[in-house]
Amino acid sequence: MNDIETVKALKGGEFLIRETAADSVFIPEEWNEEQQMIAETCVNFLAQHVKPNLNRIDEQEEGLMSHLMDEAGALGLLGVSVPEEYGGFGKDFKTSMLVTEKLGAGNSFSVAFSAHSGIGTLPILYYGNDAQKQKYIPKLASGELKGAYCLTEPSSGSDANSGKARARLSEDGTHYLITGQKMWITNAGFADVFTVFAKIDDDENLSAFIVEKDFEGITLNAEEHKMGIKGSSTRQVFFNDCKVPVENLLSDRQNGFKIAVNILNIGRMKLGGGTVGASKEVISQAVHYANEREQFGRAISKYGAIKYKLAQQAILTYASESAVYRASQNMEEATEMLVASGLDETNAKLKGTEQFAIEAAIIKVHSSETLDYVVDEGVQIYGGMGYSAEAPMDRAYRDSRINRIFEGTNEINRMLTVDMMLKRALKGDLDLMGPAQKVAGELMSIPDFGAAEEGNLFGKEKKYIANFKKAILMVAGGAVQKLMAQLGKEQEVLMNLADMLIELYVSESLQLRVEKLVSMRGEDSCKEQLDIMRVYINDAAEKIAKAGKEALNYFAEGDEKKMMLMGLKRYTKTEDINSTQARRNIAAKLIAENKYCF
Amino acid sequence: MKILVCISQVPDTSTKVVLKDNSTTIENAGVSYIINPYDEWYALIRAIELKESGIASDVDLVTVGKANTEPVIRKALALGGDKAIRIDAESTDPYLTAVYIAEYAKSMDYDLILCGKESIDYNNGSVGSMLAELLDMDYIGFATEIKIEGNTAVVKREIEGGEETDSCKFPLVISCQKGVAEARIANMRGIMAARTRPLTVITPTVDDALTSILSYELPPAKAGVRLIDPADMDELVELLHAEAKVI
C-alpha cells in the first residue's frame, strides 16, 4: 500500500492514516533480565502475601490491606517509576506497566495498588512544585503514606467538571476551606493523602488540592457494599470547611480539570496492563481446571467446545497486550522526544501522555471487555464450580465488572476515541481529510483486486489492515459530511466508529507484534502466535463490517449508501481461514503448558 | 567472617522434562531456570542475614555452570551477596563440581561455606561433603538452624525421629534445609544493585569427572485417583489387594 506512509515515530492517533514498521514497536517478548526479575518479584509477592489471603482481604479485615501496601512498599513496588531523587527507582513507563500487569492478577489488592501508585501519587508527582514533591512523594513511594483521589461526586461522574465541591480562601488568606462530598473514593479507608478536586469560589474550572487526612473537617462514610473488588476500600469522603494550607494548592488555580483528564489518560492505559494480567491469571486457572476436570472419562480440555473458549480467551488477551505495550512504548518515545526538544520532564510526560489519549481510551475499552469475556468463559469452563464461591472464578467474575465502569465508562471512552480523533483533524494536527478524500476517490474508480504482496508472511494481514483504515476513513468521512455538527449527538454512530477504530488499532498492534516476534525467533517457533493473529484479524474484519454497516444504514442514503456499502464490503473482505483448526492449535499449546503461555 | 554460598541453577519445578538423543540428554529448549531452592531459600538467605546482623563481612556466591546460568546468578545477587564467581563448566558430576569450587575457594580464606542439602535436579546431595573433604574443612549436613557464637557455629540438624545440636569451629561447610531461614522476595533495590555487583568468570584447570550419565528415564505416568465410597470398605480392601497389590 503505497498511499499510506510508513513512519518510525508515530504520533497519537496517526495509526489511522499511517503504517508502522514492525521493528519500531515494543513487544513483551523483549523484556530484559532486570524487567523479568521485577516481574518475578511481583508474582512472588502475590503468591506469598496476597493469594493466600484473598478471603481475608475481601472481608476487609482491619489493617490488612494497609499492611499489604506496606509490604509492597518495602519491596519498592510502589515507587517503580518514581524518579530516584524522590525516593523511587526511576524506571520507565513500560516497566511500571509490567508491574501493573503482574499485580493485576491480585484482585482487590491490585485496585488498591493501582489507585495508590497511579491516581494517588501521580497528580503530585506530575503537577506538584518541588516542595510538594519533596514532602509527599518519597513517603508515597515507600508506602509510608497511602494515596487516594477525590474527583467523583454523587451528581458528577462522567461529567467531572460539573462537581459541586467548593473551596474559598480563609479570611487571613492562609488556608482554603473546602466543602463538598466525594464518592467512590478508592483507598479512602486507609489513605493519608487525598488529591481533591473543587472549584474555587465561582470558577469555571476545577482546581486540585493536596489534602492530608488529619486536616480538620474530613469525615468518611461507611464502606460501600459492592458487587466485586470487595477488599478495596471504597467510601464517601465529606469535606466540611476542611482547612487546607494555601501551599497545598496543586498546580495553578483552575488547572484541576486538566490534571484530572491527564491522570485519567495514564490510568486508562494502566487499566489495560492490569486487566491483561488478570486475564492471563484467569486463563491459567481455567486451563488447569479443564485439564483436571474429567467428564465422560476424559479431561474436559479434550473437548472442542472447551478448546474454543480457551483459545478465544488467549487470542483476545494476547491482542490486548500487544496494544498495551505498543502504546506504552509510543508514549515513552513521545516523552523522550519532547524532552530532547527542550521541554522539562514533567511537562513532557504530560504532553506525551496526552498525545496518546486516543490509544489509551481504546486500550481501556478493549482490555476491560477482554477480561469480561475471559472471566465469563472462565466461569463456564469451571461449570458448577464456576458458580461456587469456593473456586476462584466467582471472585474473578465479580471483580472484573468494574473495569468497564471506572476510569471513564467504556461508553465515554468510545465517544472520546472518535471525538479526539475528529478534534485533532479539525485543529490540523491530524490530516484525515487527505486520506479520506483519497478513499472517496478510490470508491469511484475500478476496485483494486490486486493480491497481497507475494512471499510476505504478513502480506495478507497488512493488506487487510490497510483496508480497515480505508473503511474507517470512508464511514467516518461520510458521517462527518452527512451529520456535521450533529455527529457529536449521534451516539450510536460514535459507538460504531469507535468499535471500528478499536478493532483496527488492536489488529495492527497484534500484527506488528507477531511480525517482530517472527523476525526474532523464526516462523517455526511462532506458529500459535500466527494463528492468534489470523483468527483475530479475520474476526476483526467482521466486526468492522458490522459496525460500519450499521452506521451507513443510519446516515447514508440512495446511490451513495449503495456505493459506500459496497466499498465497506471490499475493505473488510478477507480470505477464508480454517479458524476452528487454528483455535485448536492455540488451545493445544495452552493445554500442554497447563497455563497461559504466550 | 567471610562466607561463600554455593548456588546451583535448576529447572523450574513446573518444567515438563523432555529427553532427547536417545534419552541421554535433557531438552533445554523451553525450560525456565531458577536458583536451586535449598541454595536460595536457606543457604543464601541465612548468609545474608548473617551479613545484615554484622556477623559476616563478605558474602560471595559461586556457581559451576556455562554462560546460560548468569541470569540465575544475578537473581541471587539481587537477593544479596557482594560478588559472584561463575566457574565456566557443566556441573553434572558432583565430585567434579566440588573439585572446581575447591580449586577456587582454597586460597580465599572463607570461614563458612553454605550450600543447599541437594540440588533439585540431580539430587546427589554430595557436593557439600566432598567440598569439605577437598578443602580439609569440617562438615555438618542437613542443617535446620545455624547460629554463630564467636568462632563457633551451633547447628541443629534433623536425625531419624528427632534432632541433634552440633557445635563446630570455623572453617566449616554446612548444607542447609528447611528451617535455616525464611524465603525472601528480591526487592527493587536489590534487583537494581545486581547489575553493578561483580560477576567474575573463571575457567577451571582440571577435568576428571568420576561419573558420566549414560541415560535418563522419566518416571511412569501417575495413575488417576479413584474415589471409593467410605461405606464400601470391602471394595477398597479388594482393590488394594488385587489391583494395587499393597496388602
Side-chain angles (χ1 to χ4, degrees):
Chain A
M1 51 179 281
N2 303 322
D3 48 349
I4 292 185
E5 200 184 329
T6 306
V7 285
K8 263 273 177 195
L10 205 65
K11 279 205 246 159
E14 278 191 338
F15 67 89
L16 177 57
I17 49 167
R18 296 202 196 284
E19 219 175 87
T20 304
D23 63 2
S24 72
V25 295
F26 174 81
I27 65 172
E29 289 84 355
E30 293 178 281
W31 293 124
N32 66 29
E33 196 182 294
E34 185 179 273
Q35 288 163 325
Q36 287 177 28
M37 274 195 229
I38 295 171
E40 201 179 312
T41 286
C42 297
V43 171
N44 289 339
F45 173 77
L46 287 189
Q48 222 175 86
H49 296 280
V50 177
K51 294 293 167 90
N53 297 315
L54 286 172
N55 286 333
R56 289 172 57 206
I57 293 171
D58 273 5
E59 285 157 14
Q60 296 211 350
E61 192 178 297
E62 184 67 32
L64 178 57
M65 186 68 91
S66 181
H67 169 73
L68 290 171
M69 295 289 287
D70 289 340
E71 296 280 345
L75 288 173
L77 297 176
L78 304 181
V80 173
S81 59
V82 169
E84 290 178 90
E85 57 187 302
Y86 297 114
F89 297 93
K91 294 288 152 198
D92 60 18
F93 185 71
K94 288 195 299 282
T95 309
S96 74
M97 185 64 90
L98 177 63
V99 170
T100 306
E101 181 203 317
K102 294 298 164 194
L103 294 179
N107 299 82
S108 288
F109 173 78
S110 75
V111 178
F113 165 80
S114 298
H116 170 85
S117 57
I119 55 183
T121 303
L122 296 183
I124 305 176
L125 179 62
Y126 286 177
Y127 288 95
N129 57 35
D130 195 53
Q132 291 167 337
K133 286 196 258 192
Q134 292 290 358
K135 183 170 179 190
Y136 295 106
I137 297 297
K139 289 180 180 172
L140 286 164
S142 70
E144 190 184 331
L145 293 177
K146 319 289 187 292
Y149 179 85
C150 300
L151 176 64
T152 303
E153 298 182 11
S155 61
S156 77
S158 298
D159 181 12
N161 205 36
S162 70
K164 291 194 177 76
R166 288 290 178 271
R168 63 186 162 85
L169 201 58
S170 62
E171 277 172 17
D172 62 1
T174 59
H175 288 80
Y176 285 104
L177 299 166
I178 298 179
T179 297
Q181 179 185 2
K182 297 286 178 181
M183 80 184 296
W184 309 128
I185 307 309
T186 303
N187 291 354
F190 55 83
D192 306 288
V193 183
F194 301 84
T195 300
V196 181
F197 295 87
K199 285 178 184 167
I200 299 175
D201 301 330
D202 294 322
D203 282 354
E204 194 181 330
N205 290 308
L206 294 168
S207 298
F209 303 86
I210 307 168
V211 179
E212 295 177 24
K213 79 162 183 234
D214 296 327
F215 290 172
E216 285 168 39
I218 301 180
T219 45
L220 301 178
N221 239 8
E223 288 288 342
E224 302 284 350
H225 295 287
K226 306 187 293 288
M227 173 194 284
I229 55 163
K230 287 173 181 289
S232 154
S233 169
T234 315
R235 293 184 174 204
Q236 290 197 41
V237 184
F238 298 93
F239 300 89
N240 189 8
D241 273 344
C242 173
K243 269 180 85 175
V244 181
V246 284
E247 61 267 24
N248 276 28
L249 174 69
L250 190 58
S251 180
D252 298 326
R253 182 169 174 167
Q254 296 211 65
N255 220 7
F257 189 62
K258 199 171 124 194
I259 297 177
V261 168
N262 254 322
I263 296 301
L264 277 176
N265 285 333
I266 298 173
R268 283 171 190 150
M269 203 142 349
K270 285 281 181 76
L271 184 143
T275 45
V276 163
S279 290
K280 288 182 182 176
E281 175 78 358
V282 171
I283 297 170
S284 290
Q285 289 166 333
V287 175
H288 188 76
Y289 186 81
N291 277 337
E292 295 276 308
R293 170 75 175 166
E294 286 192 5
Q295 283 296 280
F296 307 104
R298 300 199 300 166
I300 61 168
S301 62
K302 292 204 159 62
Y303 295 105
I306 300 291
K307 286 182 191 173
Y308 180 99
K309 294 180 196 302
L310 293 173
Q312 193 60 18
Q313 288 176 318
I315 290 166
L316 292 173
T317 302
Y318 191 81
S320 229
E321 185 188 37
S322 311
V324 166
Y325 288 107
R326 176 194 185 192
S328 301
Q329 162 88 348
N330 284 156
M331 252 175 59
E332 235 169 76
E333 282 170 353
T335 306
E336 280 164 20
M337 277 167 68
L338 289 163
V339 169
S341 71
L343 204 63
D344 67 277
E345 196 159 334
T346 299
N347 275 306
K349 262 187 187 151
L350 291 167
K351 285 227 172 328
T353 311
E354 203 177 354
Q355 211 192 98
F356 287 90
I358 297 174
E359 287 79 356
I362 286 175
I363 283 165
K364 194 272 173 180
V365 173
H366 191 272
S367 66
S368 60
E369 292 179 3
T370 291
L371 178 59
D372 254 5
Y373 174 85
V374 169
V375 295
D376 186 69
E377 292 291 34
V379 171
Q380 202 65 16
I381 291 164
Y382 267 67
M385 279 310 287
Y387 208 68
S388 161
E390 277 175 36
M393 289 303 137
D394 153 69
R395 178 180 284 114
Y397 186 81
R398 288 182 289 98
D399 286 356
S400 165
R401 193 60 182 81
I402 188 62
N403 290 293
R404 282 166 53 199
I405 299 169
F406 61 15
E407 306 282 351
T409 64
N410 282 14
E411 291 68 30
I412 288 284
N413 273 290
R414 279 189 161 89
M415 286 190 279
L416 277 174
T417 301
V418 182
D419 183 56
M420 290 188 282
M421 195 70 107
L422 295 178
K423 271 193 187 135
R424 284 182 198 192
L426 274 176
K427 272 171 66 184
D429 291 342
L430 196 64
D431 176 26
L432 295 186
M433 276 311 277
Q437 276 167 356
K438 230 180 225 175
V439 177
E442 201 179 294
L443 278 179
M444 313 289 273
S445 59
I446 302 162
D448 161 30
F449 292 111
E453 200 185 320
E454 282 296 318
N456 182 341
L457 185 60
F458 300 93
K460 274 188 208 162
E461 285 75 20
K462 280 179 177 297
K463 192 176 162 73
Y464 299 159
I465 287 163
N467 279 339
F468 293 169
K469 296 181 189 188
K470 291 180 185 175
I472 297 170
L473 286 165
M474 180 191 76
V475 178
V480 170
Q481 234 175 30
K482 288 279 166 198
L483 302 168
M484 290 188 284
Q486 280 299 307
L487 177 57
K489 294 197 179 98
E490 305 285 5
Q491 292 196 343
E492 297 92 328
V493 177
L494 294 177
M495 299 285 146
N496 291 146
L497 291 172
D499 285 342
M500 296 171 89
L501 284 166
I502 291 167
E503 290 306 323
L504 164 65
Y505 187 69
V506 175
S507 292
E508 188 178 61
S509 305
L510 172 59
Q511 185 273 315
L512 294 168
R513 176 183 187 179
V514 178
E515 186 178 347
K516 188 169 192 184
L517 188 65
V518 167
S519 76
M520 283 160 55
R521 294 185 184 167
E523 191 182 336
D524 282 350
S525 313
C526 305
K527 287 190 187 117
E528 290 83 11
Q529 285 87 347
L530 284 160
D531 279 328
I532 288 174
M533 176 191 75
R534 288 174 188 136
V535 175
Y536 187 90
I537 293 177
N538 261 52
D539 285 355
E542 285 181 21
K543 287 182 195 163
I544 292 172
K546 180 174 180 289
K549 200 169 144 186
E550 255 176 39
L552 290 175
N553 281 332
Y554 174 70
F555 69 73
E557 46 196 25
D559 284 348
E560 201 181 17
K561 177 168 134 183
K562 232 184 238 171
M563 187 178 66
M564 285 207 275
L565 283 171
M566 274 170 59
L568 184 66
K569 215 170 191 180
R570 195 200 302 170
Y571 295 141
T572 54
K573 190 170 177 280
T574 57
E575 281 176 38
D576 290 329
I577 60 162
N578 186 346
S579 54
T580 301
Q581 189 55 52
R583 283 200 178 86
R584 282 186 187 171
N585 299 341
I586 297 160
K589 181 81 175 168
L590 292 164
I591 290 162
E593 296 286 331
N594 203 21
K595 62 183 179 196
Y596 180 84
C597 55
F598 299 116
Chain B
M1 183 169 80
K2 282 175 70 178
I3 302 179
L4 179 69
V5 182
C6 305
I7 298 286
S8 179
Q9 168 179 279
V10 296
D12 188 313
T13 46
S14 64
T15 302
K16 286 209 180 72
V17 176
V18 177
L19 302 179
K20 62 175 188 181
D21 303 335
N22 215 9
S23 296
T24 57
T25 324
I26 294 169
E27 174 61 79
N28 242 326
V31 178
S32 59
Y33 288 97
I34 56 169
I35 312 169
N36 178 40
Y38 293 109
D39 303 344
E40 178 191 336
W41 298 348
Y42 311 122
L44 175 59
I45 301 299
R46 186 65 189 129
I48 295 166
E49 286 172 355
L50 290 173
K51 175 144 189 189
E52 285 168 350
S53 60
I55 294 171
S57 57
D58 298 88
V59 174
D60 296 347
L61 318 180
V62 65
T63 195
V64 177
K66 305 300 280 184
N68 71 344
T69 60
E70 289 193 3
V72 155
I73 303 168
R74 274 190 289 271
K75 232 184 252 180
L77 283 172
L79 284 162
D82 301 298
K83 65 173 192 283
I85 298 95
R86 176 171 72 80
I87 300 170
D88 190 32
E90 296 285 356
S91 65
T92 48
D93 175 56
Y95 171 70
L96 193 54
T97 302
V99 167
Y100 289 152
I101 298 174
E103 191 188 12
Y104 158 74
K106 67 184 176 206
S107 58
M108 300 300 294
D109 296 325
Y110 288 109
D111 303 287
L112 178 62
I113 299 180
L114 296 176
C115 58
K117 71 164 182 168
E118 64 186 356
S119 63
I120 61 162
D121 50 1
Y122 291 103
N123 293 94
N124 283 304
S126 46
V127 169
S129 52
M130 290 191 203
L131 185 59
E133 179 62 23
L134 290 166
L135 289 170
D136 197 19
M137 287 163 84
D138 289 323
Y139 171 75
I140 299 175
F142 307 95
T144 56
E145 184 186 295
I146 301 170
K147 283 187 177 161
I148 309 295
E149 293 172 4
N151 60 351
T152 306
V154 179
V155 179
K156 278 192 182 157
R157 57 188 298 274
E158 233 172 60
I159 53 172
E160 187 60 41
E163 196 174 65
E164 70 174 39
T165 305
D166 303 339
S167 117
C168 190
K169 287 205 182 333
F170 299 123
L172 173 67
V173 179
I174 304 175
S175 79
C176 307
Q177 62 168 327
K178 194 174 176 189
V180 165
E182 287 287 331
R184 284 189 189 181
I185 301 172
N187 60 32
M188 285 292 298
R189 206 163 293 286
I191 290 170
M192 287 176 72
R195 257 184 319 176
T196 58
R197 289 180 177 146
L199 197 170
T200 315
V201 181
I202 308 178
T203 309
T205 56
V206 286
D207 183 3
D208 50 357
L210 298 184
T211 59
S212 63
I213 292 164
L214 297 178
S215 71
Y216 297 97
E217 270 171 52
L218 293 173
K222 272 189 200 154
V225 174
R226 270 165 72 183
L227 298 174
I228 312 291
D229 191 328
D232 216 348
M233 277 300 119
D234 290 346
E235 191 192 346
L236 178 64
V237 171
E238 175 58 24
L239 285 171
L240 288 173
H241 179 68
E243 220 170 86
K245 296 190 170 58
V246 290
I247 53 171

